[in-house]
């Protein structure tokens, strides 16, 4: 088929996109509205054609047709857990440098009063939204992403074709901290599992390290949630076992759940790290308190925030483009909560 060549001054039309992608104009319209019931293959073909042709719709949903407010909404899952502080600093520095103000909302608080943080932000007319960390508002993200540019930071869920993701390398980070515990001589190690795909990746990293050490059959995985309260119950089950069978090291899903483990150890009279080593994930301000001195995986949250802010700025300029996923390398902050395995 002969392909019509357009001059640089001729605007690309929805018909051009449909022809390039090999689909109908109506299907292109569905993709532009981020409508459901479009196959992944067709959606990706349309988005690829849009990117190749440089197509800019005259009015992409409400995100381009309404007046700009120069504000961006930031949604966190629980303000009581300060793991995201450096991430917020990175996002804010990037957005403020480009003239945007930020509005911070807490999903947990909003849900307790019966409203959605995402709906509240769109009603405020924000130009874009960054969802920070695990969210219970996945359905709302999917719905709103068709109206306002959205970027996920520090989480992989929900995975949507037009929503960018910036996170750390969860599997590598978990592998790194498990190797640290193994090198200290621990052979009975437990992982306290949290929610979502990021916990699945951390579990894979944990199990891979245990398998490489020939200890796959001794690896213990226990559901521990993502809060101090939920981890408290899980740690109680693990540490209540007789000493010969009890784990000597626990790697927790995040720092908040690691604090729950430390609390149970203290109640049971177990010395940290002499009797029990404990490691967390996120290297949050909690881990750095001298009285806690928690070994933790540093996720590079400031860099995640900078990249999330950058991707959102780009997506606000060009809302219709393929999803981008970026991962930041992890490092291990070793502190006083981990030590040699007890004899």
């Amino acid at each position: 088929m002969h392909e019509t060549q357009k001059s640089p001054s001729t605007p690309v039309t929805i018909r051009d996109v449909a022809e390039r992608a090999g689909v109908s104009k109506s299907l292109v319209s569905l993709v532009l509205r981020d409508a459901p019931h479009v196959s992944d293959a067709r959606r990706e073909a349309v988005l690829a054609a849009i990117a190749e042709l440089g197509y800019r719709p005259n009015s992409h949903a409400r995100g381009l047709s309404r007046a700009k407010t120069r504000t961006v909404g930031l949604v966190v899952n629980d303000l009581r857990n300060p793991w995201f502080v450096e991430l917020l600093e990175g996002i804010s520095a990037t957005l403020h440098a480009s003239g945007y103000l930020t509005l911070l909302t807490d999903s947990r608080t909003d849900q307790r009063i019966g409203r959605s943080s995402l709906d509240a932000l769109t009603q405020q007319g924000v130009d874009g939204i960054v969802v920070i960390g695990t969210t219970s508002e996945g359905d709302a993200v999917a719905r709103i992403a068709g109206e306002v540019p959205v970027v996920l930071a520090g989480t992989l869920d929900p995975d949507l074709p037009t929503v960018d993701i910036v996170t750390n390398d969860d599997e590598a980070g978990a592998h790194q901290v498990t190797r640290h515990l193994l090198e200290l001589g621990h052979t009975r190690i437990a992982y306290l599992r949290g929610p979502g795909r990021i916990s699945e990746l951390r579990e894979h990293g944990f199990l891979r390290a245990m398998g490489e050490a020939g200890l796959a059959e001794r690896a213990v995985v226990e559901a521990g949630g993502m809060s101090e309260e939920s981890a408290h119950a899980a740690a109680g089950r693990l540490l209540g076992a007789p000493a010969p069978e009890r784990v000597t090291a626990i790697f927790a899903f995040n720092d908040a759940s690691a604090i729950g483990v430390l609390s149970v150890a203290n109640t049971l009279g177990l010395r940290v790290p002499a009797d029990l080593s404990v490691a967390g994930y996120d290297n949050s301000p909690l881990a750095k308190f001298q009285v806690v001195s928690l070994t933790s995986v540093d996720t590079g949250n400031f860099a995640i925030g900078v990249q999330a802010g950058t991707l959102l700025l780009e997506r606000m300029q060009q809302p219709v483009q393929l999803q981008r996923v970026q991962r930041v390398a992890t490092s291990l902050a070793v502190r006083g909560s981990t030590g040699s395995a007890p004899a």
Side-chain angles (χ1 to χ4, degrees):
M1 179 183 296
H2 176 68
E3 183 175 330
T4 302
Q5 299 295 325
K6 286 186 171 286
S7 69
S9 60
T10 305
V12 178
T13 67
I14 195 170
R15 182 186 297 276
D16 299 322
V17 173
E19 290 179 355
R20 176 64 64 91
V23 299
S24 66
K25 290 191 297 180
S26 61
L27 192 138
V28 174
S29 296
L30 289 174
V31 172
L32 291 175
R33 296 199 303 271
D34 204 22
H37 313 307
V38 177
S39 71
D40 290 343
R42 289 191 168 189
R43 189 183 300 274
E44 289 177 6
V46 170
L47 292 174
I50 287 169
E52 291 169 11
L53 296 173
Y55 174 66
R56 292 293 302 273
N58 291 330
S59 174
H60 174 58
R62 293 204 305 254
L64 289 180
S65 61
R66 59 180 175 80
K68 300 299 183 183
T69 62
R70 306 297 292 181
T71 59
V72 168
L74 308 179
V75 182
V76 299
N77 58 343
D78 188 350
L79 282 172
R80 299 174 303 169
N81 181 355
W83 72 271
F84 51 79
V85 170
E86 291 184 359
L87 198 157
L88 281 179
E89 291 175 351
I91 293 175
S92 297
T94 303
L95 294 175
H96 292 172
S98 295
Y100 283 86
L101 297 176
T102 54
L103 301 176
L104 180 64
T105 61
D106 175 14
S107 283
R108 177 180 174 276
T109 300
D110 282 341
Q111 287 174 353
R112 291 182 69 179
I113 61 175
R115 74 173 184 178
S116 161
S117 296
L118 288 151
D119 287 335
L121 288 170
T122 54
Q123 290 166 10
Q124 289 290 322
V126 296
D127 297 331
I129 293 175
V130 181
V131 177
I132 301 170
T134 303
T135 179
S136 59
E137 293 195 72
D139 291 341
V141 174
R143 171 169 45 81
I144 287 171
E147 305 174 5
V148 178
V150 177
V151 171
L152 305 182
T155 185
L156 293 167
D157 298 308
D159 186 9
L160 300 166
T162 59
V163 173
D164 299 321
I165 294 174
V166 188
T167 187
N168 75 97
D169 191 337
D170 291 282
E171 183 170 352
H175 184 271
Q176 187 176 23
V177 70
T178 307
R179 287 293 309 163
H180 166 67
L181 295 171
L182 290 165
E183 288 166 2
L184 290 172
H186 295 278
T187 58
R188 300 192 303 277
I189 306 174
Y191 168 58
L192 287 192
R193 183 177 60 224
R197 286 197 295 152
I198 59 174
S199 184
E200 291 176 5
L201 290 171
R202 292 174 192 179
E203 184 175 335
H204 291 163
F206 166 70
L207 294 175
R208 179 161 62 88
M210 293 294 284
E212 290 167 353
L215 296 169
E217 75 286 351
R218 305 193 74 170
V220 177
V221 177
E222 182 82 15
M226 57 188 297
S227 69
E228 179 180 353
E229 295 81 6
S230 60
H232 197 280
R237 293 191 295 271
L238 289 171
L239 299 179
E245 303 169 12
R246 188 173 61 223
V247 297
T248 62
I250 295 178
F251 159 42
F253 170 72
N254 61 10
D255 290 346
S257 53
I259 298 297
V261 177
L262 293 174
S263 176
V264 172
N266 180 65
T267 299
L268 295 176
L270 296 174
R271 299 165 299 162
V272 175
D275 301 318
L276 175 72
S277 286
V278 181
Y281 206 105
D282 291 330
N283 198 27
S284 69
L286 292 174
K288 301 171 187 177
F289 290 146
Q290 187 172 358
V291 68
V292 177
S293 190
L294 178 67
T295 293
S296 184
V297 177
D298 190 316
T299 56
N301 269 346
F302 186 83
I304 290 175
V306 169
Q307 292 188 28
T310 300
L311 291 183
L312 184 65
L313 289 170
E314 294 173 356
R315 189 165 283 279
M316 287 190 294
Q317 290 298 314
Q318 186 180 352
V320 183
Q321 55 182 298
L322 292 169
Q323 181 195 60
R324 295 164 294 177
V325 178
Q326 297 183 2
R327 286 183 171 83
V328 172
T330 60
S331 60
L332 185 63
V334 179
R335 299 190 180 90
S337 67
T338 52
S340 299

